[in-house]
Amino acid sequence: MIESTATIAARTGPRRASMARIAVASSMGSIIEFYDFLIYGTAAALVFPQVFFPALGPAAGTLAAFGTFAVAFVSRPLGAVLFGHFGDRLGRKKTLVSTLLIMGAATVTIGLLPDASVIGVAAPIILVVLRFLQGFAVGGEWAGAALLAAEYAPPKRRGLFAAFPQLGPSIGFALASATFLIINLSLGDKSEAFLTFGWRIPFIASAALVIIGLYIRLKIEETPVFKADREAGVVSMAPRKLPVWESVRNQPRQILLGGASTMMLFAFFYIGTAFLSSYGTNPAGLGHSRPTILFLGIVGAMFFAAGTLVSAVLSDRIGRRIVIVTSCIVAIPWALLLFPILDIGTTWSFALGLSGTLLIVAGVYGPVGAFLPELFATRYRYTGAGMAYNLGALVGGGITPLVAASLGASLGSYSIGLLLAGVSLVSLLATFGLPETRGIDLDAVSGSTAVR
């Protein structure tokens, strides 16, 4: 019997590079990029209204800060298309090095950006451009990191190994919260020093993390599945067909349904990490101290990380789709209970609300690292999986927190729960429209046969 290239890759890949090394490479780069991406959300919730939008007042300033936060989600699909193109033509490794460099440069520049009191309206304009670049980079990061792990992993353990880059948001959020917490405790909860320069330290310090990430990524080899398909002539650098055109023409359903299936996880994650930081510290909201919210963010992130690994392992045993469907079903009543729990107003109620929200996100996020790549053919897998993922991010992570801020101000917090429940229902229905992919031969997936 003739073995497919993916079967050969799965059997021989770990001999050429240990899966432990691949897991570290995929997760470390993802952690660093999401740390850079998420410190913006923390800063947008805690300081950007005062630093970049002081003339607008607390409510409008918060809305404007979350508006700049949402800009990155507009650029994420663009990054998925561009970096997906090069990732499908040149390889996963080279593209991931590029995304890390762009993210690092944009993040450090934000830390050095003068505020509105120094350069006026130019400050928020430049901030929007830099946030756009952050989204552009992270749009190309996820699919490459997921493919790096998934295309090396044995089929029966693909869910587990594809979950390592999925630890990026949880550990990145914990690092972001910890960094801000240390600086906040050092400078004082309400000090001018924190507003003047303290918030800049996490952004500038990310330069050191980027150097570490680059070193790790430059040490790994291209994935065996990609190399085998290139040698067989399945993928080519020649300008024959654009990966974005091939993926849209051959598998539009997978892109749209895959994106819709991930909307819930993005909505819950960015409500939990960015919006709740603002809601929890705002005197008009819950009025908790910054250190309290930041510490609880670290606790919630640990639940998120553990849940991601557990759900990924479950997806290897019982299937990707059933784990995602179950999480979406649980998300609907939880969305309606979330703000009544938070509005109890105690530290414990906030901890429960945040940790429960991130645990539900983990139920989807663990399997999706293998689920989306398994839907697409190798020659445009980077592009297709990246487009699906970042379309979900655009609606769930970009638009939902912005709408939530407006709804909360005008209709009250319970309306945000209704919004989250509606998004969860859409993701549930979309997931039902996708096939089970557990154990699939990655080399056997084609545009015409992937989904029936």
Side-chain angles (χ1 to χ4, degrees):
M1 183 176 68
I2 298 174
E3 293 180 292
S4 70
T5 53
T7 303
I8 296 170
R11 176 169 51 77
T12 62
R15 294 179 183 174
R16 290 179 284 177
S18 72
M19 283 309 304
R21 187 174 173 185
I22 298 302
V24 170
S26 61
S27 61
M28 278 298 296
S30 183
I31 288 167
I32 293 164
E33 288 220 38
F34 275 97
Y35 165 81
D36 285 1
F37 193 74
L38 292 170
I39 55 176
Y40 189 102
T42 304
L46 300 180
V47 299
F48 281 2
Q50 302 98 300
V51 173
F52 292 106
F53 306 98
L56 298 181
T62 298
L63 189 59
F66 279 111
T68 66
F69 180 78
V71 165
F73 294 92
V74 176
S75 60
R76 282 179 70 153
L78 300 177
V81 170
L82 180 66
F83 290 112
H85 173 85
F86 290 110
D88 285 323
R89 289 287 179 82
L90 303 178
R92 305 359 180 167
K93 173 184 172 178
K94 294 178 181 178
T95 308
L96 286 172
V97 169
S98 300
T99 62
L100 190 58
L101 283 171
I102 293 172
M103 175 64 82
T107 303
V108 172
T109 306
I110 290 173
L112 299 173
L113 180 63
D115 59 38
S117 67
V118 178
I119 59 174
V121 70
I125 292 174
I126 297 172
L127 183 68
V128 168
V129 172
L130 294 171
R131 181 60 176 169
F132 185 93
L133 289 174
Q134 279 194 318
F136 192 66
V138 85
E141 161 68 22
W142 178 84
L147 265 58
L148 185 67
E151 291 184 344
Y152 261 108
K156 292 184 178 180
R157 302 180 69 194
R158 190 179 295 134
L160 171 62
F161 284 108
F164 282 97
Q166 300 297 84
L167 295 175
S170 56
I171 300 179
F173 179 50
L175 288 175
S177 297
T179 305
F180 272 100
L181 176 60
I182 292 169
I183 294 168
N184 203 92
L185 291 174
S186 301
L187 299 178
D189 187 25
K190 301 182 183 298
S191 74
E192 284 298 316
F194 183 77
L195 293 175
T196 303
F197 68 87
W199 68 269
R200 300 177 182 276
I201 297 173
F203 289 84
I204 297 171
S206 71
L209 295 177
V210 170
I211 293 172
I212 296 171
L214 282 174
Y215 175 79
I216 293 173
R217 283 194 167 169
L218 288 170
K219 289 288 185 180
I220 59 173
E221 296 182 12
E222 186 54 75
T223 71
V225 170
F226 182 85
K227 288 196 295 185
D229 275 11
R230 168 167 287 177
E231 291 168 4
V234 177
V235 296
S236 172
M237 290 187 291
R240 185 177 53 185
K241 294 179 181 179
L242 293 175
V244 62
W245 169 243
E246 279 202 278
S247 60
V248 170
R249 186 187 65 180
N250 293 331
Q251 298 186 260
R253 186 178 175 214
Q254 290 90 319
I255 293 173
L256 294 175
L257 291 179
S261 71
T262 63
M263 280 169 47
M264 180 277 279
L265 79 87
F266 286 109
F268 272 64
F269 179 68
Y270 287 104
I271 288 291
T273 58
F275 181 81
L276 290 189
S277 294
S278 175
Y279 188 73
T281 56
N282 194 327
L286 301 179
H288 296 302
S289 68
R290 279 195 201 121
T292 297
I293 297 301
L294 291 169
F295 174 75
L296 294 179
I298 299 171
V299 174
M302 294 301 99
F303 278 95
F304 184 22
T308 297
L309 290 175
V310 170
S311 63
V313 171
L314 280 175
S315 80
D316 278 333
R317 294 184 178 180
I318 64 175
R320 323 280 189 226
R321 194 171 71 159
I322 186 62
V323 177
I324 295 173
V325 163
T326 302
S327 300
C328 289
I329 291 172
V330 173
I332 295 173
W334 179 259
L336 302 177
L337 292 171
L338 174 59
F339 281 89
I341 290 173
L342 294 172
D343 289 342
I344 294 173
T346 66
T347 300
W348 285 106
S349 65
F350 190 90
L352 175 62
L354 176 61
S355 298
T357 298
L358 294 180
L359 199 56
I360 289 173
V361 174
V364 178
Y365 207 60
V368 86
F371 185 57
L372 290 184
E374 287 169 338
L375 293 173
F376 296 94
T378 303
R379 66 184 183 275
Y380 53 77
R381 181 172 293 133
Y382 199 131
T383 302
M387 287 176 62
Y389 183 82
N390 287 293
L391 284 175
L394 172 61
V395 178
I399 297 174
T400 303
L402 194 59
V403 174
S406 179
L407 283 177
S410 58
L411 299 177
S413 60
Y414 193 71
S415 63
I416 302 174
L418 291 173
L419 172 66
L420 291 174
V423 172
S424 301
L425 180 60
V426 171
S427 290
L428 174 65
L429 296 176
T431 306
F432 277 127
L434 291 168
E436 178 54 61
T437 62
R438 175 173 61 110
I440 194 170
D441 181 350
L442 287 180
D443 197 53
V445 183
S446 69
S448 59
T449 63
V451 176
R452 288 181 164 72

